[in-house]
Amino acid sequence: MVLGDERVTRAYTVNADYWITIIRDRLDPYQTQLTDPALRELIGDCRGLEILDAGCGEGYLARELVARGAAHVDGVDTSEELILAARTHPDYRPDSMSFHHADVAALPLADKSVDLVVANRLPNGISQPAQRYIEFARVLKPSGRMILLGMHPCFYAARAERTATSTADFTLDDYFGVRTVEQRFNVAGLVSPAASVQQFYSLEHHIGMITAAGFAVTDLREPHPTKEQRQQNPWWNENFVRPLFLLLECVPLERLRR
Ligand SMILES: C[S@@+](CC[C@H](N)C(=O)[O-])C[C@H]1O[C@@H](n2cnc3c(N)ncnc32)[C@H](O)[C@@H]1O
């Protein structure tokens, strides 16, 4: 049985070796220089925390969080190949990490058992977009936090959209509707064997799903190159004109109402 959104899972199955190379050879400057530092800063001190790494891929973030003192990290991913890669990594520590082959919309975790949910570049859902937030709310302790890093729904444009000239190719209506982006990854000149599939919702729709699941958004960041990074490498000036990523911190609403 294929877990999760079938098209997404099949794509990651075909792309598993590609993805492992990109991560382990640190080939993606957007990840290594922008999103990872921003995520690290927002997560802050994680010593002693029980953490869910939702859509953990080959497990690099779980390993980093354990190295930084997390009590336990549960990684969950629908790709069997990536879960196997996480379990066979030399730094895998079964006493402090568990990797589950599962869908984030049906987590193999107890209610109120997690201090921090991190969804690092988990693709936007296709079949059950809101269910994952409801599941994250179920497993999170009332004192916990949820951190979501995704593509920016307002500014992220697929390659085909970037070159579209006519309004017939890309209209404003696409923003308010649901936009499906299907394209191969292209990182440092390496093109993925399969196209990834992502679904985009307007910011209003996206935040609406999060608040409907019982969360309040407490921080919003748009990871971007610093002035120093732009000076050191002018590549950023051409490749980072608008925010590509949206990083959100959310807490259970009930906590704010107490
Ligand atoms: C862009 S990769 C990010 C992986 C990892 N977080 C990282 O940053 O390297 C997205 C991951 O989400 C997983 N994924 C997609 N849909 C999922 C779902 N419904 N439940 C669990 N994992 C899912 C994919 O298999 C893939 O490993």
Side-chain angles (χ1 to χ4, degrees), residues 8 12 19 23 55-57 60 77-79 82 102-104 120-123 132:
V8 176
Y12 275 100
W19 193 259
I23 299 289
C56 61
Y60 83 93
D77 203 286
T78 39
S79 161
L82 290 172
D103 183 346
V104 295
N120 176 22
R121 307 187 294 164
L122 177 68
R132 59 185 58 189

Side-chain angles (χ1 to χ4, degrees), residues 98-209:
S98 310
F99 291 105
H100 311 268
H101 179 222
D103 183 346
V104 295
L107 292 165
L109 299 176
D111 293 359
K112 298 187 186 354
S113 57
V114 165
D115 298 294
L116 176 66
V117 173
V118 185
N120 176 22
R121 307 187 294 164
L122 177 68
N124 287 322
I126 290 174
S127 56
Q128 298 176 294
Q131 183 58 33
R132 59 185 58 189
Y133 300 126
I134 295 170
E135 261 304 82
F136 294 160
R138 179 184 70 74
V139 300
L140 201 59
K141 296 178 188 171
S143 57
R145 291 188 301 156
M146 171 174 84
I147 293 182
L148 309 172
L149 174 74
M151 304 313 290
H152 201 303
C154 309
F155 296 106
Y156 179 78
R159 276 186 290 282
E161 292 167 351
R162 279 175 233 161
T163 52
T165 48
S166 120
T167 50
D169 292 325
F170 181 56
T171 66
L172 269 180
D173 288 346
D174 294 325
Y175 174 76
F176 292 106
V178 177
R179 213 156 49 97
T180 303
V181 172
E182 203 166 341
Q183 66 180 7
R184 290 171 199 267
F185 295 108
N186 184 343
V187 179
L190 294 182
V191 178
S192 64
S196 72
V197 187
Q198 293 238 55
Q199 207 131 69
F200 284 83
Y201 311 92
S202 68
L203 190 59
E204 178 180 294
H205 188 165
H206 185 68
I207 302 288
M209 288 192 274

